[in-house]
Amino acid sequence: MSIHRLIIPILGLFLYQTSVAQRLDGFQVNTNDKQLELEKTFLDKVDFGRFKTHLTAITSEPHPAGSEANERVKDYMVKAMQEAGWEVTVHPYDVYLSKEPGESLVEIVRPFRMPLNQQENFVAEDPYADHPALWKGWNAFSGSGDVTAEIVYANYGTKADFDKLKELGIDVKGKIVLARYGGNFRGFKAKFAEAAGAAGLLIYTDPGDSGYMRGLTYPDGIFYNETSIQRGSLLTVDWTGDALTPFEPALPLDSKEKIKRLNPEEVGLHTIPVTPIPYGSTKEIMSLMKGQAVPTGWQGGLPFTYRLEGGKELKVRVKVDQKREFVRANNVVGTLKGSSKPDEWVILGCHYDAWSFGSTDPNSGTAMLLALSETLGKLAKAGQRPERSILIAHWDAEEHGVIGSTEWVEQFRDELGAKAVVYINLDAAVSGRNFSASSSPTLKKIIMESAKAVSFPDSSKTVFEVWAKNQSEPSIGNLGGGSDHIAFYMHAGIPSMSGGASGPTLYHTNYDNLHFYEKFADPSFKMGGAVEQLVGIISLRLANADIIPYQVSRYAKDLEGHFSGAVNQIRRFEKDFGGFMKSLEAISNLKESAENFDKQLAEKLESGTFDSKKAKAINQDLLSLEKSFIDPKGMYFGNWYRSLYASNDPFSGYASWILPGIQYEIELKSTARLQEWDDRYANAILDLKRKIDDLLEKL
């Protein structure tokens, strides 16, 4: 027997013995040890080989939303979950999007004619790179058009970058803008370019951001080669989800319930042609540019001085003919019904549509969830069914604008408000070996505590120890935009987290395949099982706890930091700003109540005095806490975003905005509505305090 084979069981025994002495949040004394025994059984039942089996099956061919290949992935997931013992429902929607790239071309027409490459090269050692179903680079929701014009370079195409061009006297009107990926959501690059009067837009990944300037390029390394292209949606309406049905689910056109849809011409979809190109093609354009040198910070990694304009002698043609249509999107939702609290839901999810193969993004998360459904199914068949229901959802059409999950939340918004304990998002959750997480305040502790129960592959440490390094608490981020937690957290007010193991990625390129995964992401294929174990522990603790294990006191701690940061930002442009006095007083009151609740709850759980009737009443009230931050008036930048606590950044699309009502005023450098926001936040915080005080009385 090898030393390695001896170490694994010894480490598992050590972790288990450590956990036996552990007091789990939310559990009474008589249920604590039962849960720990269940967790040991669960960890032992995880079959690390299932992750690779599922990943291989679902990423063997490109499967963008609306494709026949994506239908095959759907059918595979339905069958796998049904065989694991789950009740599976397919929820169909007819959503409005660009299903295929259509026709496109990019060429230099002056001072000479040169067609430019728009697709990744074949790679001899990569058996997937020449798959016949792979498409050239494209941006969904591009406008259609055929334009020939001069070139203007706009750096990352942010609002600040276009403002800088205007300040420098560079006229964008009637020109084709060239912008590099990064800095904001690609859709905003198109939005700002169109607003400035541009005739078209080309987007590329600069080698200074991911390319030879960073290290070896694919297939020798993890960075973009000169033909790599980032695909992606451009959708930038003032809500998340289907472009034509804000607040309402995009139910099938032939369903009995008819949904009123907006006119596509009136929702602000892009009209100019937009397409991505590789930096090998960008180099051909930029090497011919003759204008003034770019300002500080705008130089990229191509081997010449970047210039703002191409001049009259350089003309480029961009043609995009892309159809938008109604496309059937299918969410696959499996349910493992709870044994005693079936109407309280622990929801996990990941989308399954991909721009190409999707081996890291998103389907490493899909494969892990399929393996988890099998492990939890084994427990259920052995009589160890969770107390609360666990739902595992596979969302469709996320890549086009986080559509599938949003439509499902809009369809079941009221039921989710009454039943959903948590939403755990696992998009690309096993794309490397670096664990990280972002979450709402109440979930941070359970993520950290659960990470202490799982060993990190090829290590004598736990996931927590590797994640935290030498810190007492690892950094847990705030949820921003870009994935399927948005509707749950920012629209419906359901505590949410997003996490997993990240790593190298050829993001949205045709090279995101099994060859890349096995060579660079995780050659051992062990992280799939490890992430499954961690997500399973989190899910089982949330599903089985007598009292839902939210850390209520974390609200006040995090709010104090966020308000302090907001005040500092405001004082950079309004030095005499006095602060949010009503909100700060409310936080102080909240802190006292929340800390008292956590303390008294722990004591009650320790004494084991909860009967089922009292526990049920407390749990129902706990489900309402996050909804104190849901304001029907919503945000000024889009009233679909109703959470006062968090939103995606409406100017970048991806970044997290905490206290978004205030953050919007900061972005505008305005103080006009700060008093209003102080009132609205204070009211929300005091509402949360009142709910906690009511809970204290029920204890």
Side-chain angles (χ1 to χ4, degrees):
M1 182 179 289
S2 69
I3 293 176
H4 174 74
R5 290 176 65 191
L6 280 168
I7 287 173
I8 296 301
I10 291 171
L11 176 61
L13 178 62
F14 170 74
L15 289 171
Y16 173 61
Q17 289 174 337
T18 301
S19 67
V20 167
Q22 184 181 0
R23 287 291 293 121
L24 301 177
D25 290 340
F27 289 85
Q28 300 184 81
V29 172
N30 62 327
T31 56
N32 192 83
D33 290 349
K34 179 183 175 183
Q35 174 68 16
L36 291 169
E37 281 289 342
L38 172 67
E39 290 180 10
K40 180 179 182 297
T41 302
F42 166 74
L43 293 172
D44 290 343
K45 284 191 178 295
V46 170
D47 181 348
F48 276 54
R50 295 302 292 164
F51 172 78
K52 183 176 181 180
T53 297
H54 291 307
L55 188 67
T56 300
I58 60 181
T59 67
S60 60
E61 58 182 335
H63 53 280
S67 66
E68 292 182 4
N70 210 38
E71 284 284 309
R72 289 190 284 273
V73 173
K74 178 204 73 176
D75 293 342
Y76 177 91
M77 296 186 303
V78 169
K79 182 180 179 183
M81 295 187 76
Q82 286 177 336
E83 290 178 349
W86 292 62
E87 299 173 15
V88 182
T89 303
V90 176
H91 298 271
Y93 304 94
D94 284 341
V95 301
Y96 188 72
L97 51 78
S98 308
K99 180 180 175 182
E100 297 178 355
E103 181 185 355
S104 69
L105 66 85
V106 182
E107 61 179 346
I108 297 171
V109 296
R110 289 180 60 184
F112 48 77
R113 287 197 174 274
M114 175 188 288
L116 298 178
N117 177 46
Q118 295 176 260
Q119 188 163 349
E120 288 84 352
N121 283 349
F122 297 163
V123 174
E125 66 187 76
D126 183 343
Y128 300 92
D130 62 350
H131 195 288
L134 287 170
W135 289 333
K136 63 173 63 173
W138 66 297
N139 289 128
F141 289 101
S142 168
S144 291
D146 186 347
V147 298
T148 300
E150 298 175 29
I151 289 287
V152 171
Y153 171 66
N155 195 26
Y156 292 109
T158 65
K159 181 176 179 294
D161 291 336
F162 279 99
D163 289 344
K164 185 67 174 179
L165 286 173
K166 186 175 181 180
E167 176 189 322
L168 294 171
I170 305 299
D171 187 8
V172 174
K173 190 172 183 180
K175 311 284 179 62
I176 293 170
V177 169
L178 182 62
R180 51 177 167 162
Y181 272 114
N184 62 357
F185 170 58
R186 69 187 74 81
F188 286 110
K189 301 177 195 295
K191 183 176 182 177
F192 299 145
E194 190 163 346
L201 172 66
L202 297 172
I203 316 175
Y204 77 103
T205 297
D206 195 277
D209 298 315
S210 179
Y212 55 77
M213 295 293 289
R214 298 287 307 281
L216 292 174
T217 62
Y218 191 71
D220 301 313
I222 62 174
F223 296 105
Y224 279 41
N225 64 33
E226 66 175 9
T227 68
S228 302
I229 304 172
Q230 181 191 138
R231 291 147 183 81
S233 175
L234 301 172
L235 185 62
T236 54
V237 289
D238 292 337
W239 52 89
T240 294
D242 176 54
L244 306 186
T245 58
F247 296 96
E248 299 293 334
L251 298 179
L253 295 168
D254 59 357
S255 67
K256 292 182 180 179
E257 183 180 353
K258 299 302 178 184
I259 300 297
K260 184 178 179 180
R261 285 170 161 85
L262 301 176
N263 184 337
E265 303 300 319
E266 297 175 354
V267 297
L269 300 178
H270 305 293
T271 62
I272 63 172
V274 183
T275 198
I277 58 174
Y279 64 76
S281 296
T282 304
K283 179 176 64 175
E284 301 296 339
I285 297 172
M286 295 186 76
S287 65
L288 299 173
M289 295 177 70
K290 303 294 186 183
Q292 63 178 294
V294 296
T296 302
W298 287 38
Q299 176 69 38
L302 292 171
F304 40 71
T305 298
Y306 284 28
R307 300 180 182 277
L308 294 175
E309 297 178 285
K312 296 185 181 301
E313 296 304 312
L314 174 60
K315 295 286 183 69
V316 172
R317 181 187 179 196
V318 177
K319 177 183 178 181
V320 176
D321 185 6
Q322 186 184 103
K323 182 181 179 183
R324 297 170 187 156
E325 59 189 305
F326 288 105
V327 174
R328 177 61 53 91
N330 294 293
N331 294 332
V332 177
V333 180
T335 301
L336 194 62
K337 193 173 182 179
S339 60
S340 64
K341 306 177 185 73
D343 289 335
E344 294 177 12
W345 297 350
V346 174
I347 308 169
L348 298 80
C350 174
H351 72 98
Y352 66 96
D353 62 301
W355 291 111
S356 61
F357 300 95
S359 293
T360 63
D361 177 19
N363 296 129
S364 61
T366 310
M368 183 275 295
L369 284 175
L370 289 173
L372 177 60
S373 70
E374 292 173 334
T375 308
L376 294 176
K378 292 175 190 174
L379 292 178
K381 290 173 184 176
Q384 294 174 301
R385 184 173 290 271
E387 302 286 331
R388 295 180 177 86
S389 296
I390 297 177
L391 282 65
I392 291 182
H394 303 282
W395 311 117
D396 201 355
E398 188 272 354
E399 293 292 7
H400 283 72
V402 194
I403 295 175
S405 59
T406 301
E407 303 315 301
W408 192 78
V409 170
E410 290 175 339
Q411 183 176 2
F412 298 104
R413 182 168 41 227
D414 293 342
E415 192 172 4
L416 287 165
K419 297 179 179 180
V421 173
V422 65
Y423 174 66
I424 301 173
N425 195 52
L426 296 152
D427 187 356
V430 197
S431 54
R433 294 175 65 89
N434 304 309
F435 185 78
S436 62
S438 299
S439 82
S440 48
T442 50
L443 300 175
K444 292 182 178 181
K445 187 178 180 184
I446 193 172
I447 300 168
M448 291 186 286
E449 293 300 316
S450 299
K452 295 175 182 177
V454 177
S455 60
F456 194 92
D458 306 314
S459 169
S460 60
K461 297 180 179 181
T462 64
V463 171
F464 177 87
E465 289 170 323
V466 173
W467 176 24
K469 299 182 173 64
N470 297 319
Q471 304 298 315
S472 60
E473 182 177 295
S475 174
I476 298 182
N478 301 307
L479 289 168
S483 197
D484 291 298
H485 59 270
I486 293 175
F488 288 93
Y489 189 38
M490 301 169 186
H491 182 70
I494 296 164
S496 300
M497 68 160 282
S498 180
S502 63
T505 176
L506 293 176
Y507 181 69
H508 288 188
T509 73
N510 282 346
Y511 298 133
D512 183 8
N513 57 38
L514 283 162
H515 177 76
F516 175 84
Y517 192 96
E518 188 163 12
K519 186 172 181 179
F520 296 111
D522 181 24
S524 71
F525 279 94
K526 293 178 182 177
M527 286 305 296
V531 173
E532 180 192 342
Q533 288 181 327
L534 176 50
V535 172
I537 294 293
I538 294 171
S539 302
L540 287 169
R541 290 183 182 181
L542 286 162
N544 292 334
D546 299 295
I547 304 298
I548 298 169
Y550 296 149
Q551 187 186 18
V552 174
S553 60
R554 189 78 188 216
Y555 276 124
K557 178 181 177 181
D558 286 10
L559 282 167
E560 283 179 333
H562 297 319
F563 270 93
S564 176
V567 170
N568 289 337
Q569 290 182 77
I570 293 167
R571 286 177 178 165
R572 291 173 191 164
F573 62 87
E574 183 58 55
K575 64 179 181 178
D576 296 326
F577 177 64
F580 299 98
M581 304 313 295
K582 290 182 180 180
S583 296
L584 293 178
E585 183 179 357
I587 292 169
S588 178
N589 293 332
L590 169 67
K591 184 176 183 179
E592 182 179 353
S593 293
E595 289 178 351
N596 194 15
F597 174 78
D598 278 358
K599 180 173 180 291
Q600 287 196 35
L601 176 60
E603 292 171 354
K604 292 283 187 180
L605 289 166
E606 185 70 34
S607 64
T609 57
F610 279 110
D611 59 45
S612 59
K613 185 176 180 181
K614 178 187 283 190
K616 181 177 181 180
I618 290 171
N619 285 327
Q620 282 300 304
D621 286 356
L622 284 168
L623 293 181
S624 73
L625 294 186
E626 190 74 30
K627 293 166 188 63
S628 290
F629 294 105
I630 294 299
D631 187 332
K633 185 177 179 181
M635 297 296 110
Y636 282 107
F637 54 80
N639 63 356
W640 185 91
Y641 300 96
R642 303 192 304 171
S643 172
L644 296 176
Y645 196 92
S647 169
N648 50 302
D649 175 355
F651 293 104
S652 78
Y654 290 124
S656 173
W657 267 16
I658 302 299
L659 312 180
I662 295 171
Q663 202 62 46
Y664 185 61
E665 304 305 316
I666 291 171
E667 182 70 22
L668 300 177
K669 292 184 169 54
S670 169
T671 60
R673 290 193 287 246
L674 293 182
Q675 183 58 58
E676 174 194 335
W677 285 113
D678 194 18
D679 292 339
R680 289 173 71 178
Y681 276 99
N683 289 338
I685 295 164
L686 289 174
D687 182 67
L688 177 59
K689 178 195 180 301
R690 283 190 290 271
K691 290 176 181 177
I692 295 170
D693 288 341
D694 290 343
L695 279 164
L696 277 164
E697 290 186 12
K698 291 180 180 178
L699 288 178

